[in-house]
Amino acid sequence: MLKNLIWNDVRQNKLLSAVTVFFMAVSAMMFALTALLFSSLLGSVNGLMEQARAPDLVQMHTGELDESQIGRFAREHQEIDQWQICPFLNLDNSEVTLGGHSLLDSTQDNGLCRQSERFDYLLDMNNNCPKVLPGQVYVPVCYRTRYELNIGDTMGIGSVELTIAGFLRDAQMNSMMASSKRFLLSEWDYERLKPWGDEEYLVEFLLKDGADTSAVSTAYTQQGLPANGPAITKPLIRMMNALSDGTTILVIFLASIVVLLVALLCIRFILSIRMERDKREVGMLKALGIGRGEIRRLYFSKYILFSVCGGLLGLGASVVLQGPLERQIRELYGASNHGAQAAIFALCAVAVAEAVSLFSVWRNLKKTDKLSVLAALFPVQEQKQNWRQYLLIGFVSAACAFLMLLPQNLSSTLSSPTFVTYMGIGNADIRMDIRQGVDIGLETAQLAAALERDEQVERYAVLHTQFLPAVLSDGTTCNLTVEMGDHTIFPVRYSEGTPPVMENEIALSSLNAKELELSVGDTLPLRIDGEEIHYTVCGIYSDITNGGKTAKIGSRVNNAPVIWSVLYVSLKDSEASARWIEAYGQTRADVTDIEGYVRDTYGPTLAQLRLASQGAMLIAVLVAFVVIALFLRLIVERNRDAISLQKALGFTSGDIGRAYCLKGFYSAAKGVISGLAFGTLLGENLCGIALKSFGADSFRFIIRWDHLLVGIPVIILGTTMFAVWIGTAEVQRIKAYECCTGRD
């Protein structure tokens, strides 16, 4: 009996039923897609790190080291399971070519290495340890697409040529956000290529379960062991691997919430139309003695069926969309081995989306409890031609504008050269890195002298990076990555305070300030040449490089070795930058324009964001069209008698249709304005919350005003007008006599 009633109702209301299933399917698809991509990303990253046996702690070091000292340290600390020293031969990018493409403009530190002995393995595309023959090389997989490489192409290092035998995944340096890339070759090739590079070392530790990585790192530093380079921990490695695609997944999740809100509102509207149409049937059921709970369950059973159909359709669509969206994840990290877990997450996400929809339906069905038999059998005709009917059009237009604007704003922000102010560096035209050489300080001084004489240079800044021990409140020390120089020439973005200008002033990155529990005005002791010198925190700035943990002071404080130097340059004629970069590319510095630096670092992330932006635009246009066309169709149906009366009084179909179109367009225009405002302000805050966890405080969108003021409004309003025209087409078919005789 119940089955027949539901089926008959669906057949009589095919459009409303189909649209209800559509909205339930879209919201389920978005939540399932978020769950599938998130599970795939974590599964792939964790799977790669497990198969490669990624180290828990890596201390980079440039210069001589005594292996016996490190061995003694490892034996003294029971929490260390294994350790090893991996040589890394840093190359001059100007000497390296891949498939005929020079790496001169690369911002990465490219180097050669051999396969590790105990852990930290470099894996091929099947996640196996490849055997490299003499004359062969395995290239980081991130370069395959960028330089359109194939197996059999050539890698040139000076006058030496190697054949690309395959591509590798590096659990440590896979992400473009990691500043170094390792090329794998044979022992014989490594030895013969030593004259082409400068050797540094990765001191790596694999800890026992439950060991405190920070404690081991602090003990290593306190014993004065080789630490002429940054220290990297396993959580930082995982974060850098996940951040790129995680940004896209965050955008999809925010879009899922917007789509769910739209779906809830539309389902509620459809339900109210159905209940208004079925007032007489409800009154008859109540008159026959059927309880209100039974009536509510009768309607609710139909929506359970819609929910099941919508959930299954959404789940199927998410599986189809998962493929292209996770292509980059599979390329960089391999396929996830947590397929069953991903399926469970997706099912749970679909269940949550459908449960929210059904809960909304159940609450709205309670309105039937208050409907008396008399009011149901003899309803009072109410004509609702006021502006409240069109609130839904405004809300949907606002939601779709928000949905389109958020990924576009995030993409334009990350792709803008000014985004470097969130990366701990100023907004210059050109960046010059000096990371190789016996005397980095001398080479930097020579280059600075050349810039001083160069008439094309408008201004420049020279910054040296050293590691200085900071004394913590409990008496222990930790190494700070400190950049020294004039930070007022190309200032970064400060969330609090100012750049260091006076002596004994220090600025901290936001993550360092949080970890050290310091704020502007507090004091931080630094151990310099055996003496503790107290520095006052003058500012806190955004930095999402080097794990987000850096510091800045105004000048060099000792003669300790410089880890690397960076020179920032602004030219008088920015159009001549290409020739200028080519000329200075012959030096020992890696020279690149800032725009290229951002592109190199965030290229994969930007590609994924563009894909997410295109998907969000398609969903927004589809949702706006379906919702508005349906809504106008229902309004026309609800006001059929009034429209018929207007025609009987002499109004034409064009007059009546234009009135509906104007109301719909006016509501959509107000909605678009609201959506763009919320997308700029609220979207900025939501993205800022996520990026703050990586060290980017006081985040602000860099907006493309042509998209904000022209592109998105034209698309949404154009879709709205087309939907309004489709939705009001029924006005043409309403006859003037219907108000007197009724419809056949």
Side-chain angles (χ1 to χ4, degrees), residues 254-388:
L254 294 176
S256 303
I257 296 176
V258 173
V259 170
L260 180 61
L261 291 175
V262 172
L264 291 178
L265 191 62
C266 294
I267 291 172
R268 178 180 178 181
F269 177 76
I270 293 170
L271 182 61
S272 67
I273 295 294
R274 292 290 298 115
M275 296 308 300
E276 187 171 326
R277 284 185 179 181
D278 295 346
K279 275 185 178 181
R280 291 184 182 276
E281 287 79 357
V282 172
M284 290 178 63
L285 291 173
K286 286 190 173 184
L288 293 172
I290 298 177
R292 58 189 182 185
E294 291 294 328
I295 298 173
R296 194 189 315 148
R297 279 192 291 273
L298 177 64
Y299 278 93
F300 192 65
S301 299
K302 179 178 65 176
Y303 281 91
I304 291 178
L305 175 63
F306 292 162
S307 177
V308 171
C309 294
L312 292 176
L313 288 173
L315 188 61
S318 67
V319 172
V320 173
L321 293 175
Q322 179 189 7
L325 288 174
E326 73 170 10
R327 185 178 297 118
Q328 179 174 285
I329 297 175
R330 293 195 304 269
E331 174 88 354
L332 292 178
Y333 312 110
S336 172
N337 56 0
H338 296 159
Q341 184 179 7
I344 293 173
F345 283 167
L347 287 172
C348 291
V350 170
V352 168
E354 299 305 323
V356 172
S357 299
L358 290 175
F359 178 73
S360 175
V361 169
W362 183 260
R363 288 198 59 182
N364 281 282
L365 284 174
K366 284 189 175 181
K367 294 178 181 179
T368 59
D369 297 346
K370 302 176 182 178
L371 186 65
S372 67
V373 175
L374 184 62
L377 293 176
F378 304 100
V380 177
Q381 297 295 324
E382 296 180 0
Q383 300 298 334
K384 299 182 179 180
Q385 284 286 2
N386 55 59
W387 60 270
R388 290 186 179 88

Side-chain angles (χ1 to χ4, degrees), residues 91 125 251 257 341 356 596 657 687:
L91 299 174
M125 300 306 291
V251 171
I257 296 176
Q341 184 179 7
V356 172
C687 292

Side-chain angles (χ1 to χ4, degrees), residues 505-726:
E505 283 188 341
I506 186 170
L508 297 175
S509 65
S510 59
L511 288 187
N512 251 340
K514 182 178 180 181
E515 185 174 291
L516 299 175
E517 298 180 350
L518 296 174
S519 56
V520 174
D522 291 343
T523 300
L524 176 65
L526 298 181
R527 186 166 294 162
I528 301 173
D529 296 331
E531 180 184 357
E532 283 191 16
I533 300 178
H534 291 263
Y535 279 76
T536 301
V537 178
C538 62
I540 296 173
Y541 59 91
S542 297
D543 191 356
I544 60 176
T545 60
N546 298 300
K549 297 181 180 180
T550 57
K552 299 178 186 294
I553 58 177
S555 60
R556 289 189 64 178
V557 294
N558 61 12
N559 295 318
V562 176
I563 309 305
W564 65 78
S565 295
V566 179
L567 296 91
Y568 297 108
V569 182
S570 281
L571 301 178
K572 295 177 181 177
D573 181 10
S574 58
E575 294 183 358
S577 61
R579 294 192 300 273
W580 195 94
I581 290 172
E582 183 178 356
Y584 277 85
Q586 307 304 317
T587 66
R588 293 296 300 270
D590 294 331
V591 186
T592 183
D593 63 305
I594 293 296
E595 185 176 352
Y597 182 82
V598 174
R599 184 177 60 249
D600 276 2
T601 305
Y602 295 102
T605 304
L606 292 172
Q608 290 294 92
L609 277 176
R610 281 192 290 271
L611 186 60
S613 178
Q614 292 167 2
M617 182 177 297
L618 288 175
I619 291 173
V621 169
L622 181 62
V623 168
F625 176 78
V626 172
V627 171
I628 295 173
L630 170 71
F631 177 71
L632 264 298
R633 176 69 177 81
L634 293 176
I635 285 184
V636 170
E637 184 65 26
R638 173 185 286 183
N639 298 311
R640 192 177 189 96
D641 290 342
I643 294 172
S644 174
L645 179 60
Q646 287 176 318
K647 285 191 173 185
L649 293 174
F651 290 94
T652 66
S653 297
D655 295 332
I656 300 171
R658 277 192 295 273
Y660 281 101
C661 287
L662 286 174
K663 291 176 182 177
F665 182 81
Y666 181 62
S667 299
K670 290 194 295 184
V672 168
I673 294 172
S674 302
L676 294 177
F678 276 103
T680 302
L681 301 176
L682 180 60
E684 186 175 79
N685 291 333
L686 291 173
C687 292
I689 292 172
L691 289 173
K692 186 175 182 180
S693 63
F694 300 112
D697 273 351
S698 61
F699 175 78
R700 292 291 181 272
F701 274 145
I702 299 170
I703 298 171
R704 288 193 58 178
W705 293 103
D706 55 338
H707 287 178
L708 179 68
L709 300 178
V710 180
I712 294 175
V714 166
I715 292 173
I716 294 295
L717 292 178
T719 302
T720 298
M721 289 309 299
F722 184 54
V724 168
W725 179 69
I726 295 294

Side-chain angles (χ1 to χ4, degrees), residues 479-505:
N479 266 356
L480 283 185
T481 303
V482 182
E483 194 173 50
M484 309 170 187
D486 189 345
H487 300 285
T488 62
I489 300 176
F490 299 106
V492 302
R493 190 176 298 270
Y494 283 80
S495 56
E496 296 180 48
T498 59
V501 177
M502 307 294 293
E503 288 189 13
N504 297 352
E505 283 188 341

Side-chain angles (χ1 to χ4, degrees), residues 64 75 143 156 232 238 404 476 519 521 558 666 736:
E64 300 294 327
R75 289 191 296 272
Y143 287 154
I232 300 173
R238 183 179 286 107
M404 293 174 64
T476 61
S519 56
N558 61 12
Y666 181 62

